[in-house]
């Protein structure tokens, strides 16, 4: 499995070829069925605190994971290594696990008839040509706006700008192979408010597929400051039965717990 130069849509054909190579190796070694996910990712992360740059990090990762079956026995393995030897060794490792696993009548791939036939283009990939210097400038501007928003903002707990892009391809022994490229850009700010001996911390952020469409850095900092200050002076209330309103960011977590509870794996 050779290294992939790009992490954009142009990487999909090369990753599809790698998936097909891994599936062929799994069949060669004796797997009755298998599924493979190959990915390549890269990103930039910059963090500032108290007007100083804390971190500037670049990352680039490539690897694959395979789940294969020997009848109703299942084994999984993954690697970040590349090359034909890595494929053979990772498939062999998954196969060894499967041969020692207990049989499970529910194990296996979804029926071939359930594989997707039409794959919509979801416009998920928007690379952002932002330099480390520009990322640092945005993060510093965000934090500065937070400090200026209220005199009770006494400290910062980190402002971070992240930009990430990657490509992922999935395939299985039913003949299904497909992939997509995607991007994710974010700016977050965490501030600490202090008044009357009480300290409170809160945050705000924005996330977007397109970096140019992120909310204004100063606005994110101001919102983080306002949320931190709003926590000051909190007091307990007597036990009672009342309607409860969940803010949007908490409501998503509430639904997340519900979706996890009804997921097939957890029910099984």
């Amino acid at each position: 499995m050779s290294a992939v130069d790009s992490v954009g849509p142009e990487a999909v054909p090369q990753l599809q070829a790698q998936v097909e190579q891994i599936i062929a190796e799994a069949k060669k070694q004796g797997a009755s069925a298998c599924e493979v996910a190959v990915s390549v990712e890269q990103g930039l992360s910059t963090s500032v605190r108290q007007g100083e740059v804390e971190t500037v990090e670049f990352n680039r990762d490539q690897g694959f994971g395979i789940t294969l079956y020997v009848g109703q026995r299942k084994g999984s393995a993954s690697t970040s290594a590349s090359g034909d030897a890595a494929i053979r060794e990772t498939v062999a490792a998954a196969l060894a696990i499967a041969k020692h696993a207990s049989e499970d009548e529910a194990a296996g791939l979804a029926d071939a008839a359930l594989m997707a036939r039409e794959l919509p283009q979801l416009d998920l990939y928007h690379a952002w040509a932002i330099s480390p210097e520009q990322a640092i400038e945005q993060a510093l501007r965000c934090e500065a706006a937070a400090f200026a928003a209220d005199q009770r903002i006494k400290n910062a707990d980190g402002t971070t700008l992240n930009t990430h892009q990657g490509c992922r391809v999935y395939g299985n022994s039913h003949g299904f192979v497909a992939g997509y490229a995607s991007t994710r850009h974010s700016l977050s700010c965490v501030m600490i408010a202090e008044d009357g001996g009480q300290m409170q911390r809160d945050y705000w952020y924005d996330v977007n597929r397109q970096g140019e469409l992120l909310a204004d850095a100063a606005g994110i900092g101001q919102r983080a400051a306002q949320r931190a200050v709003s926590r000051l002076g909190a007091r307990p209330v007597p036990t009672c039965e009342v309607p409860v309103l969940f803010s949007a960011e908490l409501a998503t977590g509430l639904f997340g717990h519900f979706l996890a509870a009804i997921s097939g794996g957890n029910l099984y």
Side-chain angles (χ1 to χ4, degrees):
M1 187 173 71
S2 60
V4 178
D5 296 329
S6 171
V7 296
E10 58 274 14
V12 171
Q14 189 173 351
L15 294 183
Q16 287 178 330
Q18 292 180 358
V19 166
E20 292 168 351
Q21 179 186 358
I22 297 166
I23 292 173
E25 180 64 27
K27 291 179 178 179
K28 178 181 176 182
Q29 292 195 30
S32 54
C34 68
E35 55 185 345
V36 177
V38 176
S39 64
V40 57
E41 303 174 329
Q42 71 178 27
L44 164 68
S45 175
T46 59
S47 296
V48 304
R49 184 174 180 274
Q50 294 281 52
E52 299 289 338
V53 178
E54 281 206 317
T55 60
V56 178
E57 298 177 356
F58 294 90
N59 72 281
R60 182 178 176 89
D61 303 294
Q62 179 180 352
F64 77 89
I66 181 171
T67 295
L68 54 74
Y69 303 88
V70 179
Q72 299 303 120
R73 303 173 187 268
K74 171 183 173 181
S76 299
S78 62
T79 182
S80 59
S82 60
D84 294 344
I87 291 177
R88 290 193 298 271
E89 292 168 5
T90 305
V91 168
L95 196 63
I97 294 171
K99 289 180 177 179
H100 288 87
S102 300
E103 289 196 0
D104 181 352
E105 63 180 15
L109 303 176
D111 293 340
L114 296 177
M115 297 296 104
R117 295 291 181 264
E118 297 181 6
L119 303 175
Q121 295 298 318
L122 300 178
D123 193 27
L124 303 178
Y125 184 83
H126 298 274
W128 191 14
I130 186 171
S131 67
E133 293 77 15
Q134 291 170 325
I136 290 169
E137 187 277 330
Q138 283 210 35
L140 288 172
R141 186 160 63 89
C142 180
E143 184 187 78
F147 275 116
D150 195 294
Q151 62 182 4
R152 290 169 291 181
I153 297 295
K154 304 295 186 182
N155 206 339
D157 204 20
T159 298
T160 303
L161 188 146
N162 287 308
T163 174
H164 170 272
Q165 54 184 316
C167 186
R168 179 180 176 87
V169 170
Y170 167 87
N172 60 40
S173 51
H174 286 328
F176 177 89
V177 180
Y180 62 92
S182 65
T183 52
R184 185 179 190 274
H185 315 290
S186 65
L187 176 60
S188 64
C189 179
V190 186
M191 303 304 293
I192 300 171
E194 183 177 357
D195 189 43
Q198 186 183 37
M199 297 178 66
Q200 292 289 343
R201 173 173 50 195
D202 214 323
Y203 69 96
W204 195 242
Y205 68 98
D206 192 30
V207 181
N208 205 297
R209 296 283 182 189
Q210 300 184 51
E212 296 84 357
L213 297 184
L214 282 174
D216 178 66
I220 292 174
Q222 291 165 359
R223 183 74 180 276
Q226 292 164 0
R227 285 165 55 89
V229 168
S230 70
R231 287 178 172 270
L232 294 170
R235 57 183 176 81
V237 297
T239 301
C240 55
E241 292 187 9
V242 294
V244 176
L245 294 177
F246 290 92
S247 64
E249 61 271 17
L250 294 179
T252 56
L254 184 68
F255 281 107
H257 288 298
F258 171 72
L259 292 173
I262 65 173
S263 70
N266 285 337
L267 290 178
Y268 176 70

PDB file of all heavy atoms in Angstrom, residues 79-114:
ATOM      1  N   THR A  79      -3.716  -0.769  11.059  1.00  0.00           N
ATOM      2  CA  THR A  79      -2.316  -0.371  11.016  1.00  0.00           C
ATOM      3  C   THR A  79      -2.189   1.010  10.395  1.00  0.00           C
ATOM      4  O   THR A  79      -3.047   1.440   9.620  1.00  0.00           O
ATOM      5  CB  THR A  79      -1.489  -1.374  10.184  1.00  0.00           C
ATOM      6  OG1 THR A  79      -0.117  -0.981  10.203  1.00  0.00           O
ATOM      7  CG2 THR A  79      -1.960  -1.409   8.739  1.00  0.00           C
ATOM      8  N   SER A  80      -1.127   1.692  10.764  1.00  0.00           N
ATOM      9  CA  SER A  80      -0.785   2.964  10.118  1.00  0.00           C
ATOM     10  C   SER A  80       0.410   2.786   9.184  1.00  0.00           C
ATOM     11  O   SER A  80       0.871   3.747   8.579  1.00  0.00           O
ATOM     12  CB  SER A  80      -0.461   4.030  11.176  1.00  0.00           C
ATOM     13  OG  SER A  80       0.620   3.609  11.991  1.00  0.00           O
ATOM     14  N   ALA A  81       0.910   1.540   9.087  1.00  0.00           N
ATOM     15  CA  ALA A  81       2.028   1.245   8.197  1.00  0.00           C
ATOM     16  C   ALA A  81       1.518   1.134   6.763  1.00  0.00           C
ATOM     17  O   ALA A  81       0.326   1.003   6.507  1.00  0.00           O
ATOM     18  CB  ALA A  81       2.709  -0.045   8.618  1.00  0.00           C
ATOM     19  N   SER A  82       2.431   1.203   5.810  1.00  0.00           N
ATOM     20  CA  SER A  82       2.062   1.080   4.407  1.00  0.00           C
ATOM     21  C   SER A  82       2.951   0.026   3.757  1.00  0.00           C
ATOM     22  O   SER A  82       3.989  -0.357   4.285  1.00  0.00           O
ATOM     23  CB  SER A  82       2.207   2.425   3.686  1.00  0.00           C
ATOM     24  OG  SER A  82       3.547   2.889   3.745  1.00  0.00           O
ATOM     25  N   GLY A  83       2.523  -0.457   2.612  1.00  0.00           N
ATOM     26  CA  GLY A  83       3.307  -1.452   1.895  1.00  0.00           C
ATOM     27  C   GLY A  83       2.635  -2.804   1.881  1.00  0.00           C
ATOM     28  O   GLY A  83       1.751  -3.105   2.696  1.00  0.00           O
ATOM     29  N   ASP A  84       3.044  -3.631   0.938  1.00  0.00           N
ATOM     30  CA  ASP A  84       2.448  -4.949   0.783  1.00  0.00           C
ATOM     31  C   ASP A  84       2.633  -5.804   2.026  1.00  0.00           C
ATOM     32  O   ASP A  84       1.735  -6.574   2.404  1.00  0.00           O
ATOM     33  CB  ASP A  84       3.065  -5.651  -0.428  1.00  0.00           C
ATOM     34  CG  ASP A  84       2.717  -4.946  -1.736  1.00  0.00           C
ATOM     35  OD1 ASP A  84       1.779  -4.122  -1.735  1.00  0.00           O
ATOM     36  OD2 ASP A  84       3.405  -5.205  -2.750  1.00  0.00           O
ATOM     37  N   ALA A  85       3.787  -5.713   2.668  1.00  0.00           N
ATOM     38  CA  ALA A  85       4.044  -6.516   3.868  1.00  0.00           C
ATOM     39  C   ALA A  85       3.081  -6.137   4.989  1.00  0.00           C
ATOM     40  O   ALA A  85       2.582  -7.015   5.710  1.00  0.00           O
ATOM     41  CB  ALA A  85       5.486  -6.318   4.326  1.00  0.00           C
ATOM     42  N   ALA A  86       2.797  -4.837   5.133  1.00  0.00           N
ATOM     43  CA  ALA A  86       1.871  -4.388   6.170  1.00  0.00           C
ATOM     44  C   ALA A  86       0.474  -4.939   5.918  1.00  0.00           C
ATOM     45  O   ALA A  86      -0.233  -5.327   6.868  1.00  0.00           O
ATOM     46  CB  ALA A  86       1.833  -2.861   6.217  1.00  0.00           C
ATOM     47  N   ILE A  87       0.064  -5.003   4.653  1.00  0.00           N
ATOM     48  CA  ILE A  87      -1.244  -5.565   4.324  1.00  0.00           C
ATOM     49  C   ILE A  87      -1.296  -7.037   4.707  1.00  0.00           C
ATOM     50  O   ILE A  87      -2.239  -7.492   5.371  1.00  0.00           O
ATOM     51  CB  ILE A  87      -1.548  -5.378   2.826  1.00  0.00           C
ATOM     52  CG1 ILE A  87      -1.762  -3.894   2.515  1.00  0.00           C
ATOM     53  CG2 ILE A  87      -2.777  -6.204   2.416  1.00  0.00           C
ATOM     54  CD1 ILE A  87      -1.997  -3.606   1.049  1.00  0.00           C
ATOM     55  N   ARG A  88      -0.287  -7.792   4.302  1.00  0.00           N
ATOM     56  CA  ARG A  88      -0.272  -9.228   4.613  1.00  0.00           C
ATOM     57  C   ARG A  88      -0.294  -9.459   6.118  1.00  0.00           C
ATOM     58  O   ARG A  88      -1.051 -10.310   6.623  1.00  0.00           O
ATOM     59  CB  ARG A  88       0.961  -9.884   3.997  1.00  0.00           C
ATOM     60  CG  ARG A  88       0.932  -9.987   2.479  1.00  0.00           C
ATOM     61  CD  ARG A  88       2.025 -10.917   1.976  1.00  0.00           C
ATOM     62  NE  ARG A  88       3.356 -10.426   2.330  1.00  0.00           N
ATOM     63  CZ  ARG A  88       4.078  -9.599   1.569  1.00  0.00           C
ATOM     64  NH1 ARG A  88       3.593  -9.173   0.416  1.00  0.00           N
ATOM     65  NH2 ARG A  88       5.274  -9.209   1.945  1.00  0.00           N
ATOM     66  N   GLU A  89       0.497  -8.701   6.866  1.00  0.00           N
ATOM     67  CA  GLU A  89       0.598  -8.906   8.307  1.00  0.00           C
ATOM     68  C   GLU A  89      -0.687  -8.508   9.026  1.00  0.00           C
ATOM     69  O   GLU A  89      -1.118  -9.178   9.973  1.00  0.00           O
ATOM     70  CB  GLU A  89       1.786  -8.107   8.856  1.00  0.00           C
ATOM     71  CG  GLU A  89       3.136  -8.637   8.388  1.00  0.00           C
ATOM     72  CD  GLU A  89       4.273  -7.682   8.699  1.00  0.00           C
ATOM     73  OE1 GLU A  89       4.012  -6.655   9.359  1.00  0.00           O
ATOM     74  OE2 GLU A  89       5.416  -7.961   8.279  1.00  0.00           O
ATOM     75  N   THR A  90      -1.311  -7.424   8.587  1.00  0.00           N
ATOM     76  CA  THR A  90      -2.530  -6.971   9.256  1.00  0.00           C
ATOM     77  C   THR A  90      -3.685  -7.923   8.980  1.00  0.00           C
ATOM     78  O   THR A  90      -4.477  -8.241   9.876  1.00  0.00           O
ATOM     79  CB  THR A  90      -2.888  -5.542   8.798  1.00  0.00           C
ATOM     80  OG1 THR A  90      -1.769  -4.683   9.013  1.00  0.00           O
ATOM     81  CG2 THR A  90      -4.081  -5.002   9.569  1.00  0.00           C
ATOM     82  N   VAL A  91      -3.796  -8.398   7.740  1.00  0.00           N
ATOM     83  CA  VAL A  91      -4.822  -9.381   7.412  1.00  0.00           C
ATOM     84  C   VAL A  91      -4.595 -10.658   8.218  1.00  0.00           C
ATOM     85  O   VAL A  91      -5.538 -11.244   8.770  1.00  0.00           O
ATOM     86  CB  VAL A  91      -4.817  -9.684   5.897  1.00  0.00           C
ATOM     87  CG1 VAL A  91      -5.687 -10.911   5.592  1.00  0.00           C
ATOM     88  CG2 VAL A  91      -5.317  -8.479   5.121  1.00  0.00           C
ATOM     89  N   ALA A  92      -3.348 -11.086   8.318  1.00  0.00           N
ATOM     90  CA  ALA A  92      -3.036 -12.306   9.081  1.00  0.00           C
ATOM     91  C   ALA A  92      -3.394 -12.140  10.548  1.00  0.00           C
ATOM     92  O   ALA A  92      -3.899 -13.072  11.193  1.00  0.00           O
ATOM     93  CB  ALA A  92      -1.551 -12.642   8.931  1.00  0.00           C
ATOM     94  N   ALA A  93      -3.160 -10.938  11.093  1.00  0.00           N
ATOM     95  CA  ALA A  93      -3.491 -10.690  12.500  1.00  0.00           C
ATOM     96  C   ALA A  93      -4.998 -10.769  12.719  1.00  0.00           C
ATOM     97  O   ALA A  93      -5.472 -11.372  13.701  1.00  0.00           O
ATOM     98  CB  ALA A  93      -2.965  -9.317  12.914  1.00  0.00           C
ATOM     99  N   ALA A  94      -5.784 -10.160  11.826  1.00  0.00           N
ATOM    100  CA  ALA A  94      -7.234 -10.224  11.945  1.00  0.00           C
ATOM    101  C   ALA A  94      -7.733 -11.657  11.790  1.00  0.00           C
ATOM    102  O   ALA A  94      -8.654 -12.095  12.499  1.00  0.00           O
ATOM    103  CB  ALA A  94      -7.889  -9.318  10.890  1.00  0.00           C
ATOM    104  N   LEU A  95      -7.108 -12.396  10.890  1.00  0.00           N
ATOM    105  CA  LEU A  95      -7.506 -13.788  10.651  1.00  0.00           C
ATOM    106  C   LEU A  95      -7.219 -14.651  11.879  1.00  0.00           C
ATOM    107  O   LEU A  95      -8.033 -15.509  12.253  1.00  0.00           O
ATOM    108  CB  LEU A  95      -6.760 -14.325   9.431  1.00  0.00           C
ATOM    109  CG  LEU A  95      -7.299 -15.600   8.787  1.00  0.00           C
ATOM    110  CD1 LEU A  95      -8.699 -15.350   8.245  1.00  0.00           C
ATOM    111  CD2 LEU A  95      -6.370 -16.054   7.666  1.00  0.00           C
ATOM    112  N   ALA A  96      -6.091 -14.424  12.524  1.00  0.00           N
ATOM    113  CA  ALA A  96      -5.751 -15.188  13.726  1.00  0.00           C
ATOM    114  C   ALA A  96      -6.762 -14.926  14.838  1.00  0.00           C
ATOM    115  O   ALA A  96      -7.155 -15.842  15.568  1.00  0.00           O
ATOM    116  CB  ALA A  96      -4.342 -14.812  14.189  1.00  0.00           C
ATOM    117  N   ILE A  97      -7.198 -13.667  14.969  1.00  0.00           N
ATOM    118  CA  ILE A  97      -8.203 -13.339  15.981  1.00  0.00           C
ATOM    119  C   ILE A  97      -9.522 -14.040  15.661  1.00  0.00           C
ATOM    120  O   ILE A  97     -10.170 -14.618  16.541  1.00  0.00           O
ATOM    121  CB  ILE A  97      -8.404 -11.812  16.050  1.00  0.00           C
ATOM    122  CG1 ILE A  97      -7.133 -11.142  16.572  1.00  0.00           C
ATOM    123  CG2 ILE A  97      -9.598 -11.454  16.924  1.00  0.00           C
ATOM    124  CD1 ILE A  97      -7.156  -9.629  16.471  1.00  0.00           C
ATOM    125  N   ALA A  98      -9.929 -14.003  14.384  1.00  0.00           N
ATOM    126  CA  ALA A  98     -11.189 -14.630  13.994  1.00  0.00           C
ATOM    127  C   ALA A  98     -11.182 -16.125  14.282  1.00  0.00           C
ATOM    128  O   ALA A  98     -12.183 -16.680  14.757  1.00  0.00           O
ATOM    129  CB  ALA A  98     -11.449 -14.377  12.507  1.00  0.00           C
ATOM    130  N   LYS A  99     -10.071 -16.782  14.000  1.00  0.00           N
ATOM    131  CA  LYS A  99     -10.007 -18.228  14.193  1.00  0.00           C
ATOM    132  C   LYS A  99     -10.100 -18.630  15.663  1.00  0.00           C
ATOM    133  O   LYS A  99     -10.472 -19.765  15.979  1.00  0.00           O
ATOM    134  CB  LYS A  99      -8.714 -18.768  13.579  1.00  0.00           C
ATOM    135  CG  LYS A  99      -8.713 -18.740  12.054  1.00  0.00           C
ATOM    136  CD  LYS A  99      -7.423 -19.276  11.473  1.00  0.00           C
ATOM    137  CE  LYS A  99      -7.474 -19.301   9.952  1.00  0.00           C
ATOM    138  NZ  LYS A  99      -6.213 -19.797   9.348  1.00  0.00           N
ATOM    139  N   HIS A 100      -9.770 -17.686  16.559  1.00  0.00           N
ATOM    140  CA  HIS A 100      -9.840 -17.977  17.996  1.00  0.00           C
ATOM    141  C   HIS A 100     -11.098 -17.414  18.643  1.00  0.00           C
ATOM    142  O   HIS A 100     -11.320 -17.613  19.844  1.00  0.00           O
ATOM    143  CB  HIS A 100      -8.605 -17.424  18.707  1.00  0.00           C
ATOM    144  CG  HIS A 100      -7.345 -18.193  18.414  1.00  0.00           C
ATOM    145  ND1 HIS A 100      -6.542 -17.919  17.332  1.00  0.00           N
ATOM    146  CD2 HIS A 100      -6.772 -19.243  19.050  1.00  0.00           C
ATOM    147  CE1 HIS A 100      -5.517 -18.754  17.325  1.00  0.00           C
ATOM    148  NE2 HIS A 100      -5.621 -19.565  18.357  1.00  0.00           N
ATOM    149  N   ALA A 101     -11.909 -16.685  17.880  1.00  0.00           N
ATOM    150  CA  ALA A 101     -13.124 -16.087  18.436  1.00  0.00           C
ATOM    151  C   ALA A 101     -14.252 -17.112  18.466  1.00  0.00           C
ATOM    152  O   ALA A 101     -14.242 -18.108  17.723  1.00  0.00           O
ATOM    153  CB  ALA A 101     -13.535 -14.885  17.597  1.00  0.00           C
ATOM    154  N   SER A 102     -15.229 -16.855  19.309  1.00  0.00           N
ATOM    155  CA  SER A 102     -16.408 -17.718  19.363  1.00  0.00           C
ATOM    156  C   SER A 102     -17.309 -17.430  18.167  1.00  0.00           C
ATOM    157  O   SER A 102     -17.340 -16.318  17.655  1.00  0.00           O
ATOM    158  CB  SER A 102     -17.188 -17.462  20.660  1.00  0.00           C
ATOM    159  OG  SER A 102     -16.399 -17.733  21.790  1.00  0.00           O
ATOM    160  N   GLU A 103     -18.049 -18.417  17.736  1.00  0.00           N
ATOM    161  CA  GLU A 103     -18.996 -18.204  16.659  1.00  0.00           C
ATOM    162  C   GLU A 103     -20.150 -17.329  17.139  1.00  0.00           C
ATOM    163  O   GLU A 103     -20.587 -17.425  18.273  1.00  0.00           O
ATOM    164  CB  GLU A 103     -19.526 -19.545  16.131  1.00  0.00           C
ATOM    165  CG  GLU A 103     -18.495 -20.333  15.353  1.00  0.00           C
ATOM    166  CD  GLU A 103     -19.139 -21.443  14.533  1.00  0.00           C
ATOM    167  OE1 GLU A 103     -20.376 -21.566  14.588  1.00  0.00           O
ATOM    168  OE2 GLU A 103     -18.404 -22.157  13.826  1.00  0.00           O
ATOM    169  N   ASP A 104     -20.621 -16.481  16.256  1.00  0.00           N
ATOM    170  CA  ASP A 104     -21.721 -15.568  16.561  1.00  0.00           C
ATOM    171  C   ASP A 104     -22.652 -15.576  15.366  1.00  0.00           C
ATOM    172  O   ASP A 104     -22.299 -15.128  14.279  1.00  0.00           O
ATOM    173  CB  ASP A 104     -21.175 -14.154  16.807  1.00  0.00           C
ATOM    174  CG  ASP A 104     -22.265 -13.155  17.166  1.00  0.00           C
ATOM    175  OD1 ASP A 104     -23.457 -13.503  17.075  1.00  0.00           O
ATOM    176  OD2 ASP A 104     -21.917 -12.021  17.531  1.00  0.00           O
ATOM    177  N   GLU A 105     -23.855 -16.093  15.561  1.00  0.00           N
ATOM    178  CA  GLU A 105     -24.778 -16.230  14.432  1.00  0.00           C
ATOM    179  C   GLU A 105     -25.198 -14.880  13.841  1.00  0.00           C
ATOM    180  O   GLU A 105     -25.661 -14.806  12.704  1.00  0.00           O
ATOM    181  CB  GLU A 105     -26.025 -17.003  14.859  1.00  0.00           C
ATOM    182  CG  GLU A 105     -26.843 -16.306  15.938  1.00  0.00           C
ATOM    183  CD  GLU A 105     -28.065 -17.104  16.340  1.00  0.00           C
ATOM    184  OE1 GLU A 105     -28.131 -18.304  16.010  1.00  0.00           O
ATOM    185  OE2 GLU A 105     -28.961 -16.518  16.982  1.00  0.00           O
ATOM    186  N   ALA A 106     -25.001 -13.793  14.611  1.00  0.00           N
ATOM    187  CA  ALA A 106     -25.370 -12.464  14.113  1.00  0.00           C
ATOM    188  C   ALA A 106     -24.206 -11.762  13.418  1.00  0.00           C
ATOM    189  O   ALA A 106     -24.380 -10.668  12.883  1.00  0.00           O
ATOM    190  CB  ALA A 106     -25.889 -11.596  15.257  1.00  0.00           C
ATOM    191  N   ALA A 107     -23.023 -12.372  13.434  1.00  0.00           N
ATOM    192  CA  ALA A 107     -21.854 -11.725  12.832  1.00  0.00           C
ATOM    193  C   ALA A 107     -21.905 -11.834  11.317  1.00  0.00           C
ATOM    194  O   ALA A 107     -22.421 -12.800  10.752  1.00  0.00           O
ATOM    195  CB  ALA A 107     -20.572 -12.373  13.355  1.00  0.00           C
ATOM    196  N   GLY A 108     -21.374 -10.821  10.651  1.00  0.00           N
ATOM    197  CA  GLY A 108     -21.298 -10.857   9.202  1.00  0.00           C
ATOM    198  C   GLY A 108     -21.669  -9.531   8.584  1.00  0.00           C
ATOM    199  O   GLY A 108     -22.087  -8.592   9.263  1.00  0.00           O
ATOM    200  N   LEU A 109     -21.492  -9.432   7.273  1.00  0.00           N
ATOM    201  CA  LEU A 109     -21.834  -8.228   6.534  1.00  0.00           C
ATOM    202  C   LEU A 109     -23.336  -8.143   6.319  1.00  0.00           C
ATOM    203  O   LEU A 109     -24.050  -9.146   6.363  1.00  0.00           O
ATOM    204  CB  LEU A 109     -21.144  -8.238   5.171  1.00  0.00           C
ATOM    205  CG  LEU A 109     -19.618  -8.352   5.151  1.00  0.00           C
ATOM    206  CD1 LEU A 109     -19.133  -8.455   3.708  1.00  0.00           C
ATOM    207  CD2 LEU A 109     -18.990  -7.163   5.852  1.00  0.00           C
ATOM    208  N   ALA A 110     -23.820  -6.945   6.076  1.00  0.00           N
ATOM    209  CA  ALA A 110     -25.202  -6.794   5.636  1.00  0.00           C
ATOM    210  C   ALA A 110     -25.362  -7.491   4.286  1.00  0.00           C
ATOM    211  O   ALA A 110     -24.398  -7.670   3.541  1.00  0.00           O
ATOM    212  CB  ALA A 110     -25.552  -5.319   5.516  1.00  0.00           C
ATOM    213  N   ASP A 111     -26.586  -7.897   3.986  1.00  0.00           N
ATOM    214  CA  ASP A 111     -26.829  -8.594   2.726  1.00  0.00           C
ATOM    215  C   ASP A 111     -26.373  -7.748   1.543  1.00  0.00           C
ATOM    216  O   ASP A 111     -26.494  -6.520   1.553  1.00  0.00           O
ATOM    217  CB  ASP A 111     -28.317  -8.913   2.575  1.00  0.00           C
ATOM    218  CG  ASP A 111     -28.794  -9.936   3.597  1.00  0.00           C
ATOM    219  OD1 ASP A 111     -27.932 -10.651   4.137  1.00  0.00           O
ATOM    220  OD2 ASP A 111     -30.014  -9.998   3.847  1.00  0.00           O
ATOM    221  N   ALA A 112     -25.895  -8.428   0.512  1.00  0.00           N
ATOM    222  CA  ALA A 112     -25.414  -7.721  -0.679  1.00  0.00           C
ATOM    223  C   ALA A 112     -26.496  -6.849  -1.300  1.00  0.00           C
ATOM    224  O   ALA A 112     -26.221  -5.773  -1.837  1.00  0.00           O
ATOM    225  CB  ALA A 112     -24.899  -8.737  -1.697  1.00  0.00           C
ATOM    226  N   ALA A 113     -27.747  -7.272  -1.190  1.00  0.00           N
ATOM    227  CA  ALA A 113     -28.848  -6.507  -1.771  1.00  0.00           C
ATOM    228  C   ALA A 113     -29.062  -5.176  -1.062  1.00  0.00           C
ATOM    229  O   ALA A 113     -29.709  -4.279  -1.614  1.00  0.00           O
ATOM    230  CB  ALA A 113     -30.137  -7.327  -1.717  1.00  0.00           C
ATOM    231  N   LEU A 114     -28.522  -5.035   0.140  1.00  0.00           N
ATOM    232  CA  LEU A 114     -28.697  -3.796   0.909  1.00  0.00           C
ATOM    233  C   LEU A 114     -27.596  -2.776   0.630  1.00  0.00           C
ATOM    234  O   LEU A 114     -27.647  -1.662   1.152  1.00  0.00           O
ATOM    235  CB  LEU A 114     -28.721  -4.118   2.411  1.00  0.00           C
ATOM    236  CG  LEU A 114     -29.876  -4.992   2.897  1.00  0.00           C
ATOM    237  CD1 LEU A 114     -29.720  -5.293   4.382  1.00  0.00           C
ATOM    238  CD2 LEU A 114     -31.210  -4.317   2.628  1.00  0.00           C
TER     239      LEU A 114
END
